[in-house]
Amino acid sequence: MVKPGNVFGHSVEESLVEKVTPMLGTDVPLKYSPGLAFPLGASEAENGINFAIFSRHASCVTLCLSIFGREKGQEICDGMVEIALDPQKNKTGDVWHICVEGLSRSGILYGYRIDGPQEKEQGHGFDNSIVLLDPYAKLVSGRKWFGDVANKMSKFLGTYDFESMPFDWGPDYKLPNIPETDLVIYEMNVRAFTADESSGLDPDVRGSYLGVIEKIPHLLELGINAVELLPVFEFDELEFQRYQNPRDHMINTWGYSTLNFFAPMSRYASAGGGPLVASHEFKQMVKALHNAGIEVILDVVYNHTNEANDRHPYTTSFRGTDNKVYYMLDLDNGAKYLNFSGCGNTLNCNHPVVMELILDSLRHWVNEYHVDGFRFDLASILCRGTDGSPLNSPPLVKAIAKDAVLSRCKIIAEPWDCGGLYLVGKFPNWDRWAEWNGKYRDDIRRFMKGDCGMKGTFATRISGSADLYQVNKRKPQHSINFVIAHDGFTLYDLVSYNFKHNDANGEGGNDGSNDNFSWNCGVEGETEDVDVIGLRSRQMKNFHLALMISQGTPMMLMGDEYGHTRYGNNNSYGHDTSINHFQWKQLEERRGGHFRFFCEMIKFRHKHPILRRDRFLTKSDVAWHEDNWSNHESKFLAFTLHDDQFGGDIYLAFNAHDYYVKAAVPSPPHKKRWHRVVDTNLESPKDFVPEGVPFSDTSYNIASYSAVLLEAKP
């Protein structure tokens, strides 16, 4: 007797009565018996492979098996074994199940045809003409090659592997377990990191998990110690090309359109290797990053799926399995999808069944793939009830915070959604959740470009945003500080464009944010004006300096270390081109200047604990050299961070005026003298001198739109 302790609350005894059917194209018969209701998905049982799927409202479920898999790069073969499940024998509660004997322990493709009520106005989405992907499939098989338009209509089926030996993590392997206070996060896209020819990698390795391994030396040189990977769950990069529309030229390179929550993106495998290779190589990547002391945080999308909207449904899994359970619906309006994600549908996250799926998924990535944390896209949706209304104590968010398996993980919320639920500083947290601090991004940008009245707010943000996070047991590190992220301008574009330039996206310029708080430094876009180029360089260094000296956890975007441009496109999700691809030649061209400054600034943060305290600043920690906070026109801020333990005080000044400011410099601590480490107005290598240049004057003439950092040393 098996008594699964899960949300479905059912136990089931496996029947010994077997049925037999010929195995398609072979002399080996398939034997099948009722099987077990737990675990969901495909699992290995004593007498075969067990298949279990939840569907509360289904009236008929048929298991479909593609025995032959693939040949010569073809898509799923036409012939399939179809086994109808008897609701009297193959159903326990809301779970349909069957055990099949005689199947290979690896490589079988499978899916389901599911039928049920046809009343769409009551929330149902059943269509038994479609072979559905199992929501609990641990591996997914689709097209082999990323962006292969010849197979744009590829189907996606589940598969499994119970044959391979367990992955060898190595005898000396250990998790990095980096304290949150010490993190420097690098947001990156697996494919875009090495897809460009300039990566110098073999074509079969470009854009793959193995490609990331090849470039770990770059990450170490930069100094980051955590990568935040844009979605790596299986997604359909050609979803925009299924029907004629203004975006049908696009390839979804960001991946915010999940097909399945358990399977690694199969087309990130090297050489078109498929799902089993992708799973193995993902683990190789995690192992290599961990051995280099770099943590792996996954950007996860539990707020919506790929299955689109009411007008253009793309039924692949959840919609056809049990639409009424998996999605938020407006039952007073023909059961249309509630769209808090901006992508056509919203996952019903706090429904007990969906919540269990999400928790199972998270645990799977921790246990099977050893990831170190998660950033939850549009996490405010996780705070909505089944009817879409906000919840003060959302069960899913609490369960994630309290889960034993997830207890070692970093958990980070993007605390807003497309329905207006803005929870920056207010995300339900149980003292565990960190947040993308959108107010930090906006306020730092506004101060740096010279907006009036921002000095006090700027001081608050670089001090750890105590106004937002000094509540209960929350710490400064619960603020994920960022100026740039994947969506929006790159750092170079932030200082080069006043307006977005998104025409290439096919939406008439209506997509992407209009509130960028950017400044082009006098010329829109590319220019040969040396003064404008110099100003832009200073501003990029100013932003990076501010980010790296701020209390809290800094995050930077892939490519900003060399000044990557998307030519003003602030929503480049659909371009599998140099717009998104890391340009390794440009990195080499700028290695001695821009890149050097970025590396040195990150190293400086690592070396100075007073920049990453695990508590909020007190009056004894900082001296603000300011007696006129109320001056709306003031765009200059100077302060000293005190090091009571070693006397290594740090003086910082930021000048966002368009003129020089002669600032008084306080006396250094006893038996110390000031050394100039940073002056963003100077050319490389003088802009950053690690050992510091002795400075004994009582004032410093700080150039317009520039910043300085002085360190007290013997």
Side-chain angles (χ1 to χ4, degrees), residues 627-653:
D627 56 9
N628 195 12
W629 289 103
S630 61
N631 184 354
H632 188 74
E633 301 299 321
S634 177
K635 305 171 186 178
F636 179 86
L637 181 69
F639 58 98
T640 299
L641 295 171
H642 297 306
D643 181 357
D644 294 335
Q645 186 174 4
F646 301 110
D649 286 11
I650 295 174
Y651 170 87
L652 287 144

mmCIF file of all heavy atoms in Angstrom, residues 627-653:
data_model
loop_
_atom_site.group_PDB
_atom_site.id
_atom_site.type_symbol
_atom_site.label_atom_id
_atom_site.label_comp_id
_atom_site.label_asym_id
_atom_site.label_seq_id
_atom_site.Cartn_x
_atom_site.Cartn_y
_atom_site.Cartn_z
ATOM 1 N N ASP A 627 24.835 70.218 5.123
ATOM 2 C CA ASP A 627 24.026 70.953 6.089
ATOM 3 C C ASP A 627 22.858 71.659 5.412
ATOM 4 O O ASP A 627 22.245 72.555 5.987
ATOM 5 C CB ASP A 627 24.887 71.966 6.851
ATOM 6 C CG ASP A 627 25.617 72.925 5.913
ATOM 7 O OD1 ASP A 627 25.315 72.905 4.699
ATOM 8 O OD2 ASP A 627 26.484 73.677 6.398
ATOM 9 N N ASN A 628 22.579 71.239 4.207
ATOM 10 C CA ASN A 628 21.512 71.912 3.460
ATOM 11 C C ASN A 628 20.711 70.890 2.657
ATOM 12 O O ASN A 628 20.592 70.979 1.437
ATOM 13 C CB ASN A 628 22.121 72.971 2.537
ATOM 14 C CG ASN A 628 21.077 73.949 2.020
ATOM 15 O OD1 ASN A 628 19.945 73.985 2.519
ATOM 16 N ND2 ASN A 628 21.430 74.725 1.025
ATOM 17 N N TRP A 629 20.181 69.897 3.367
ATOM 18 C CA TRP A 629 19.439 68.824 2.686
ATOM 19 C C TRP A 629 18.218 69.340 1.947
ATOM 20 O O TRP A 629 17.773 68.730 0.969
ATOM 21 C CB TRP A 629 19.002 67.778 3.713
ATOM 22 C CG TRP A 629 20.107 66.941 4.267
ATOM 23 C CD1 TRP A 629 20.693 67.071 5.485
ATOM 24 C CD2 TRP A 629 20.771 65.848 3.625
ATOM 25 N NE1 TRP A 629 21.678 66.124 5.656
ATOM 26 C CE2 TRP A 629 21.748 65.355 4.527
ATOM 27 C CE3 TRP A 629 20.635 65.229 2.381
ATOM 28 C CZ2 TRP A 629 22.582 64.272 4.221
ATOM 29 C CZ3 TRP A 629 21.460 64.159 2.076
ATOM 30 C CH2 TRP A 629 22.416 63.689 2.974
ATOM 31 N N SER A 630 17.662 70.431 2.408
ATOM 32 C CA SER A 630 16.410 70.922 1.819
ATOM 33 C C SER A 630 16.615 71.726 0.537
ATOM 34 O O SER A 630 15.642 72.143 -0.093
ATOM 35 C CB SER A 630 15.658 71.779 2.840
ATOM 36 O OG SER A 630 16.441 72.910 3.214
ATOM 37 N N ASN A 631 17.861 71.940 0.143
ATOM 38 C CA ASN A 631 18.144 72.708 -1.072
ATOM 39 C C ASN A 631 17.760 71.887 -2.296
ATOM 40 O O ASN A 631 18.464 70.963 -2.699
ATOM 41 C CB ASN A 631 19.620 73.093 -1.123
ATOM 42 C CG ASN A 631 19.941 73.974 -2.328
ATOM 43 O OD1 ASN A 631 19.098 74.211 -3.193
ATOM 44 N ND2 ASN A 631 21.174 74.460 -2.385
ATOM 45 N N HIS A 632 16.645 72.248 -2.911
ATOM 46 C CA HIS A 632 16.103 71.496 -4.039
ATOM 47 C C HIS A 632 17.034 71.521 -5.240
ATOM 48 O O HIS A 632 17.028 70.593 -6.065
ATOM 49 C CB HIS A 632 14.729 72.079 -4.415
ATOM 50 C CG HIS A 632 13.981 71.274 -5.428
ATOM 51 N ND1 HIS A 632 13.379 70.070 -5.131
ATOM 52 C CD2 HIS A 632 13.736 71.502 -6.759
ATOM 53 C CE1 HIS A 632 12.792 69.589 -6.211
ATOM 54 N NE2 HIS A 632 12.987 70.432 -7.209
ATOM 55 N N GLU A 633 17.851 72.551 -5.342
ATOM 56 C CA GLU A 633 18.726 72.708 -6.503
ATOM 57 C C GLU A 633 20.060 71.984 -6.341
ATOM 58 O O GLU A 633 20.811 71.850 -7.306
ATOM 59 C CB GLU A 633 18.998 74.197 -6.754
ATOM 60 C CG GLU A 633 17.736 75.019 -7.003
ATOM 61 C CD GLU A 633 16.987 74.551 -8.232
ATOM 62 O OE1 GLU A 633 17.664 74.212 -9.233
ATOM 63 O OE2 GLU A 633 15.744 74.511 -8.193
ATOM 64 N N SER A 634 20.360 71.499 -5.141
ATOM 65 C CA SER A 634 21.653 70.868 -4.904
ATOM 66 C C SER A 634 21.715 69.476 -5.518
ATOM 67 O O SER A 634 20.823 68.638 -5.297
ATOM 68 C CB SER A 634 21.936 70.777 -3.401
ATOM 69 O OG SER A 634 23.150 70.102 -3.174
ATOM 70 N N LYS A 635 22.778 69.235 -6.260
ATOM 71 C CA LYS A 635 22.978 67.942 -6.915
ATOM 72 C C LYS A 635 24.352 67.371 -6.559
ATOM 73 O O LYS A 635 24.949 66.626 -7.343
ATOM 74 C CB LYS A 635 22.847 68.100 -8.433
ATOM 75 C CG LYS A 635 21.518 68.730 -8.868
ATOM 76 C CD LYS A 635 21.514 69.072 -10.339
ATOM 77 C CE LYS A 635 20.248 69.837 -10.716
ATOM 78 N NZ LYS A 635 20.241 70.219 -12.150
ATOM 79 N N PHE A 636 24.832 67.737 -5.394
ATOM 80 C CA PHE A 636 26.137 67.282 -4.923
ATOM 81 C C PHE A 636 25.975 66.616 -3.563
ATOM 82 O O PHE A 636 25.268 67.122 -2.690
ATOM 83 C CB PHE A 636 27.108 68.464 -4.797
ATOM 84 C CG PHE A 636 28.462 68.087 -4.285
ATOM 85 C CD1 PHE A 636 29.450 67.643 -5.145
ATOM 86 C CD2 PHE A 636 28.755 68.168 -2.925
ATOM 87 C CE1 PHE A 636 30.702 67.279 -4.664
ATOM 88 C CE2 PHE A 636 29.999 67.805 -2.438
ATOM 89 C CZ PHE A 636 30.980 67.355 -3.314
ATOM 90 N N LEU A 637 26.642 65.472 -3.396
ATOM 91 C CA LEU A 637 26.576 64.769 -2.119
ATOM 92 C C LEU A 637 27.951 64.205 -1.786
ATOM 93 O O LEU A 637 28.585 63.547 -2.607
ATOM 94 C CB LEU A 637 25.556 63.622 -2.168
ATOM 95 C CG LEU A 637 25.402 62.830 -0.863
ATOM 96 C CD1 LEU A 637 24.738 63.692 0.205
ATOM 97 C CD2 LEU A 637 24.594 61.554 -1.083
ATOM 98 N N ALA A 638 28.410 64.470 -0.558
ATOM 99 C CA ALA A 638 29.671 63.920 -0.070
ATOM 100 C C ALA A 638 29.460 63.329 1.321
ATOM 101 O O ALA A 638 28.662 63.840 2.110
ATOM 102 C CB ALA A 638 30.747 65.004 -0.024
ATOM 103 N N PHE A 639 30.174 62.265 1.612
ATOM 104 C CA PHE A 639 30.031 61.606 2.907
ATOM 105 C C PHE A 639 31.246 60.719 3.162
ATOM 106 O O PHE A 639 32.012 60.379 2.237
ATOM 107 C CB PHE A 639 28.746 60.775 2.968
ATOM 108 C CG PHE A 639 28.631 59.714 1.900
ATOM 109 C CD1 PHE A 639 28.962 58.393 2.164
ATOM 110 C CD2 PHE A 639 28.172 60.033 0.624
ATOM 111 C CE1 PHE A 639 28.852 57.417 1.189
ATOM 112 C CE2 PHE A 639 28.058 59.068 -0.359
ATOM 113 C CZ PHE A 639 28.397 57.753 -0.079
ATOM 114 N N THR A 640 31.427 60.343 4.423
ATOM 115 C CA THR A 640 32.510 59.451 4.817
ATOM 116 C C THR A 640 31.935 58.238 5.532
ATOM 117 O O THR A 640 31.139 58.378 6.468
ATOM 118 C CB THR A 640 33.510 60.158 5.747
ATOM 119 O OG1 THR A 640 34.084 61.276 5.065
ATOM 120 C CG2 THR A 640 34.619 59.206 6.176
ATOM 121 N N LEU A 641 32.314 57.066 5.067
ATOM 122 C CA LEU A 641 31.965 55.819 5.738
ATOM 123 C C LEU A 641 33.095 55.480 6.696
ATOM 124 O O LEU A 641 34.264 55.418 6.300
ATOM 125 C CB LEU A 641 31.780 54.696 4.714
ATOM 126 C CG LEU A 641 30.608 54.851 3.743
ATOM 127 C CD1 LEU A 641 30.674 53.786 2.654
ATOM 128 C CD2 LEU A 641 29.271 54.770 4.477
ATOM 129 N N HIS A 642 32.758 55.274 7.969
ATOM 130 C CA HIS A 642 33.759 55.047 9.000
ATOM 131 C C HIS A 642 34.030 53.555 9.197
ATOM 132 O O HIS A 642 33.103 52.740 9.235
ATOM 133 C CB HIS A 642 33.312 55.659 10.331
ATOM 134 C CG HIS A 642 33.162 57.147 10.280
ATOM 135 N ND1 HIS A 642 34.171 57.984 9.854
ATOM 136 C CD2 HIS A 642 32.105 57.958 10.600
ATOM 137 C CE1 HIS A 642 33.755 59.235 9.906
ATOM 138 N NE2 HIS A 642 32.505 59.248 10.355
ATOM 139 N N ASP A 643 35.303 53.253 9.339
ATOM 140 C CA ASP A 643 35.740 51.899 9.649
ATOM 141 C C ASP A 643 36.300 51.909 11.065
ATOM 142 O O ASP A 643 37.479 52.181 11.286
ATOM 143 C CB ASP A 643 36.810 51.458 8.642
ATOM 144 C CG ASP A 643 37.298 50.037 8.885
ATOM 145 O OD1 ASP A 643 36.847 49.418 9.868
ATOM 146 O OD2 ASP A 643 38.125 49.555 8.094
ATOM 147 N N ASP A 644 35.437 51.623 12.036
ATOM 148 C CA ASP A 644 35.844 51.713 13.440
ATOM 149 C C ASP A 644 36.871 50.652 13.819
ATOM 150 O O ASP A 644 37.639 50.840 14.764
ATOM 151 C CB ASP A 644 34.618 51.580 14.354
ATOM 152 C CG ASP A 644 33.662 52.756 14.198
ATOM 153 O OD1 ASP A 644 34.135 53.833 13.794
ATOM 154 O OD2 ASP A 644 32.461 52.583 14.452
ATOM 155 N N GLN A 645 36.887 49.550 13.079
ATOM 156 C CA GLN A 645 37.790 48.453 13.440
ATOM 157 C C GLN A 645 39.225 48.706 12.986
ATOM 158 O O GLN A 645 40.171 48.519 13.747
ATOM 159 C CB GLN A 645 37.280 47.141 12.834
ATOM 160 C CG GLN A 645 38.078 45.920 13.276
ATOM 161 C CD GLN A 645 37.465 44.621 12.791
ATOM 162 O OE1 GLN A 645 36.476 44.623 12.056
ATOM 163 N NE2 GLN A 645 38.047 43.505 13.208
ATOM 164 N N PHE A 646 39.394 49.158 11.744
ATOM 165 C CA PHE A 646 40.743 49.310 11.198
ATOM 166 C C PHE A 646 41.076 50.744 10.792
ATOM 167 O O PHE A 646 42.190 51.020 10.364
ATOM 168 C CB PHE A 646 40.921 48.398 9.984
ATOM 169 C CG PHE A 646 40.721 46.942 10.287
ATOM 170 C CD1 PHE A 646 39.616 46.269 9.804
ATOM 171 C CD2 PHE A 646 41.636 46.251 11.069
ATOM 172 C CE1 PHE A 646 39.427 44.921 10.075
ATOM 173 C CE2 PHE A 646 41.456 44.901 11.349
ATOM 174 C CZ PHE A 646 40.350 44.232 10.854
ATOM 175 N N GLY A 647 40.111 51.656 10.901
ATOM 176 C CA GLY A 647 40.364 53.040 10.545
ATOM 177 C C GLY A 647 40.480 53.295 9.058
ATOM 178 O O GLY A 647 40.971 54.350 8.639
ATOM 179 N N GLY A 648 40.034 52.346 8.274
ATOM 180 C CA GLY A 648 40.098 52.506 6.824
ATOM 181 C C GLY A 648 38.892 53.235 6.282
ATOM 182 O O GLY A 648 38.137 52.691 5.454
ATOM 183 N N ASP A 649 38.693 54.471 6.728
ATOM 184 C CA ASP A 649 37.536 55.250 6.285
ATOM 185 C C ASP A 649 37.546 55.428 4.771
ATOM 186 O O ASP A 649 38.605 55.406 4.120
ATOM 187 C CB ASP A 649 37.543 56.622 6.956
ATOM 188 C CG ASP A 649 37.143 56.557 8.422
ATOM 189 O OD1 ASP A 649 37.068 55.433 8.961
ATOM 190 O OD2 ASP A 649 36.917 57.623 9.032
ATOM 191 N N ILE A 650 36.346 55.626 4.222
ATOM 192 C CA ILE A 650 36.192 55.865 2.785
ATOM 193 C C ILE A 650 35.396 57.145 2.592
ATOM 194 O O ILE A 650 34.272 57.281 3.118
ATOM 195 C CB ILE A 650 35.488 54.688 2.089
ATOM 196 C CG1 ILE A 650 36.362 53.424 2.174
ATOM 197 C CG2 ILE A 650 35.182 55.018 0.629
ATOM 198 C CD1 ILE A 650 35.684 52.184 1.647
ATOM 199 N N TYR A 651 35.975 58.093 1.870
ATOM 200 C CA TYR A 651 35.303 59.355 1.542
ATOM 201 C C TYR A 651 34.786 59.256 0.111
ATOM 202 O O TYR A 651 35.509 58.835 -0.809
ATOM 203 C CB TYR A 651 36.267 60.525 1.660
ATOM 204 C CG TYR A 651 35.738 61.844 1.113
ATOM 205 C CD1 TYR A 651 34.987 62.697 1.916
ATOM 206 C CD2 TYR A 651 35.999 62.223 -0.210
ATOM 207 C CE1 TYR A 651 34.506 63.902 1.417
ATOM 208 C CE2 TYR A 651 35.522 63.422 -0.716
ATOM 209 C CZ TYR A 651 34.773 64.259 0.094
ATOM 210 O OH TYR A 651 34.298 65.448 -0.404
ATOM 211 N N LEU A 652 33.534 59.644 -0.085
ATOM 212 C CA LEU A 652 32.904 59.594 -1.407
ATOM 213 C C LEU A 652 32.209 60.914 -1.704
ATOM 214 O O LEU A 652 31.617 61.530 -0.808
ATOM 215 C CB LEU A 652 31.875 58.458 -1.475
ATOM 216 C CG LEU A 652 32.464 57.043 -1.544
ATOM 217 C CD1 LEU A 652 31.612 56.075 -0.770
ATOM 218 C CD2 LEU A 652 32.612 56.600 -2.997
ATOM 219 N N ALA A 653 32.288 61.330 -2.952
ATOM 220 C CA ALA A 653 31.582 62.534 -3.384
ATOM 221 C C ALA A 653 31.053 62.321 -4.790
ATOM 222 O O ALA A 653 31.764 61.814 -5.674
ATOM 223 C CB ALA A 653 32.508 63.744 -3.347
#
